[in-house]
Amino acid sequence: MKTIIAACSQNLSGNRASIQTALRTLLAAPWPSQRDVRSWLQLLSVLQWVLSFLLLGTVSLLLLIYLVFTSFWPISALYLAWIIFDWDTPEKGGRRLPCLRRWPVWRHFRDYFPVKLVKTHDLSPSHNYIIGSHPHGILCVGAFCNFITGSTGFGEMFPGIRPFLTTLAGNFRLPVFREYLMSGGLCPVTRRAIGYLLSKNGTGNAVAIVIGGAAESLSCRPGVTTLILKNRKGFVRMALQHGAYLVPSFSFGENDLFRQVVFEEGSWMRSIQQRFQKMMGFAPCVFYGRGLTSVQSRGFLPYARPITTVVGEPVAVPKIEDPSCETVDMYHERYVRSLLKLFNENKTKYGLSETDELHIL
């Protein structure tokens, strides 16, 4: 018995010594600095955003389908009934939540790149506006951060203006994801939705449209400033029909966030991408960014590159219910000139050289 007690005492003493050693080692280890904590928070904020846009809709749909075959099927039934009842809401201004726009995580999201908004002219609350957002990039980071979150100060720079951002109408058919999009102020890029905001929602509305769309994303790569705009005139026609002023904006640095495998025109892979884009509305880009663990690793997170979105001078547009093709062409040309002026006046300030040109296809 004495032998057993002695052995237990010796074992306890050894354990106590081991614990004390471990505690001393832990206390001696350097604690994360405030800069490290900020970096982690910024990385996590970008991670949740990327996962939300890439997976939230698909995962929610699969989950609801799975629940149909379980005892929790009423959840799927109730949500389906809700979608049917709420079907037209995205086309009627959505259901934005100001608290989501002020979510503190968006400040960390902004600081990761960082994203900056630059104002060049005032926007009067007595008018409505269509803001052309260029370029598309891969995930439209600049447009989302500036027009959907309040982190870059849009509301303070343009008092009385309510910004909206349009995206593919198919996104609003995905469960849960549609609620997430509407809560931030996103709307379908359809004539009905845009027309509602410009004619039945009062004045002071600014509808941002990424004009180049999916076709432009196929040519997105660092150092390339090519826009798909020459034959994109539907937004000008809508501006004329509703008397909404046209406002160009350009996000310098948007194309530097990812690396994309760009397939040459005429190749079979390019043909597949273009065919998929025509059928589904978006293009399956082959791209990569940084990994979660380090900048050197490859993954799906964007690289930390500065993005500066410059909002240009409004182009005054009259209200014409049935504008002629000549009138549409004239105001489209004015918009293009305003966009080129905006680009040329700011390109050397935000990372481009004097010789860089904006190519419009």
Side-chain angles (χ1 to χ4, degrees):
M1 181 62 72
K2 290 181 179 180
T3 304
I4 295 174
I5 292 173
C8 289
S9 299
Q10 185 176 2
N11 189 38
L12 289 172
S13 299
N15 289 340
R16 192 179 298 112
S18 299
I19 292 173
Q20 290 174 347
T21 302
L23 287 174
R24 282 196 296 268
T25 303
L26 180 63
L27 292 174
W31 288 83
S33 64
Q34 290 185 352
R35 182 178 179 181
D36 292 333
V37 173
R38 283 197 301 269
S39 297
W40 295 341
L41 290 174
Q42 292 167 10
L43 192 62
L44 289 174
S45 68
V46 174
L47 176 64
Q48 66 82 25
W49 179 78
V50 171
L51 291 178
S52 295
F53 268 82
L54 295 182
L55 298 177
L56 181 58
T58 303
V59 171
S60 300
L61 178 61
L62 294 176
L63 179 60
L64 287 174
I65 293 174
Y66 168 75
L67 291 178
V68 169
F69 302 98
T70 69
S71 58
F72 296 99
W73 64 267
I75 296 177
S76 298
L78 288 172
Y79 191 79
L80 177 60
W82 164 252
I83 287 184
I84 294 173
F85 173 78
D86 197 54
W87 189 260
D88 288 336
T89 299
E91 304 276 354
K92 297 180 178 179
R95 189 170 39 249
R96 63 194 301 158
L97 298 175
C99 60
L100 185 67
R101 291 174 58 85
R102 297 192 299 266
W103 201 16
V105 72
W106 300 130
R107 293 198 298 270
H108 300 298
F109 180 87
R110 171 201 65 195
D111 294 339
Y112 170 84
F113 298 96
V115 182
K116 182 182 178 183
L117 180 66
V118 176
K119 168 186 173 181
T120 61
H121 293 78
D122 291 329
L123 299 182
S124 171
S126 61
H127 297 290
N128 286 324
Y129 303 89
I130 290 181
I131 300 178
S133 179
H134 309 275
H136 183 284
I138 296 293
L139 294 179
C140 302
V141 173
F144 177 87
C145 191
N146 287 298
F147 303 129
I148 293 302
T149 80
S151 61
T152 57
F154 185 96
E156 292 73 24
M157 291 185 190
F158 303 100
I161 303 296
R162 294 181 298 275
F164 296 86
L165 179 63
T166 57
T167 184
L168 293 175
N171 289 329
F172 295 90
R173 305 296 178 250
L174 295 172
V176 181
F177 190 46
R178 69 190 295 275
E179 322 298 340
Y180 177 77
L181 294 177
M182 285 193 292
S183 64
L186 282 103
C187 297
V189 61
T190 62
R191 290 185 178 274
R192 183 185 176 193
I194 298 171
Y196 180 91
L197 293 172
L198 297 178
S199 63
K200 299 181 180 179
N201 200 42
T203 59
N205 301 292
V207 183
I209 304 175
V210 186
I211 309 296
E216 193 171 275
S217 67
L218 292 176
S219 301
C220 166
R221 50 184 169 179
V224 175
T225 50
T226 301
L227 304 182
I228 306 296
L229 179 60
K230 186 176 292 185
N231 295 318
R232 300 290 174 100
K233 300 179 181 179
F235 73 103
V236 178
R237 182 175 295 275
M238 288 209 68
L240 285 163
Q241 291 172 342
H242 298 283
Y245 287 14
L246 291 168
V247 183
S249 72
F250 195 92
S251 293
F252 294 91
E254 181 73 45
N255 285 348
D256 299 331
L257 304 182
F258 294 96
R259 302 290 182 268
Q260 181 179 188
V261 180
V262 178
F263 301 100
E264 297 296 328
E265 289 289 343
S267 65
W268 65 274
M269 278 298 297
R270 186 74 165 194
S271 299
I272 291 175
Q273 287 179 314
Q274 293 172 339
R275 196 170 304 167
F276 191 92
Q277 175 225 324
K278 290 179 180 179
M279 290 190 301
M280 303 301 294
F282 65 94
C285 302
V286 182
F287 67 92
Y288 65 89
R290 60 156 293 178
L292 183 61
T293 55
S294 70
V295 179
Q296 287 73 29
S297 61
R298 290 187 179 183
F300 54 87
L301 294 179
Y303 292 106
R305 303 287 187 269
I307 304 172
T308 304
T309 300
V310 185
V311 180
E313 181 179 4
V315 177
V317 175
K319 184 175 182 179
I320 306 175
E321 290 187 6
D322 188 20
S324 65
C325 293
E326 292 76 13
T327 303
V328 172
D329 290 342
M330 180 179 69
Y331 281 96
H332 182 271
E333 184 179 348
R334 290 185 184 180
Y335 175 82
V336 171
R337 286 202 305 266
S338 182
L339 175 63
L340 288 170
K341 178 184 176 183
L342 174 72
F343 177 83
N344 290 324
E345 287 180 351
N346 292 276
K347 61 184 179 182
T348 56
K349 300 177 185 176
Y350 305 115
L352 299 179
S353 66
E354 190 63 45
T355 56
D356 284 322
E357 296 181 354
L358 187 61
H359 303 283
I360 296 179
L361 302 178

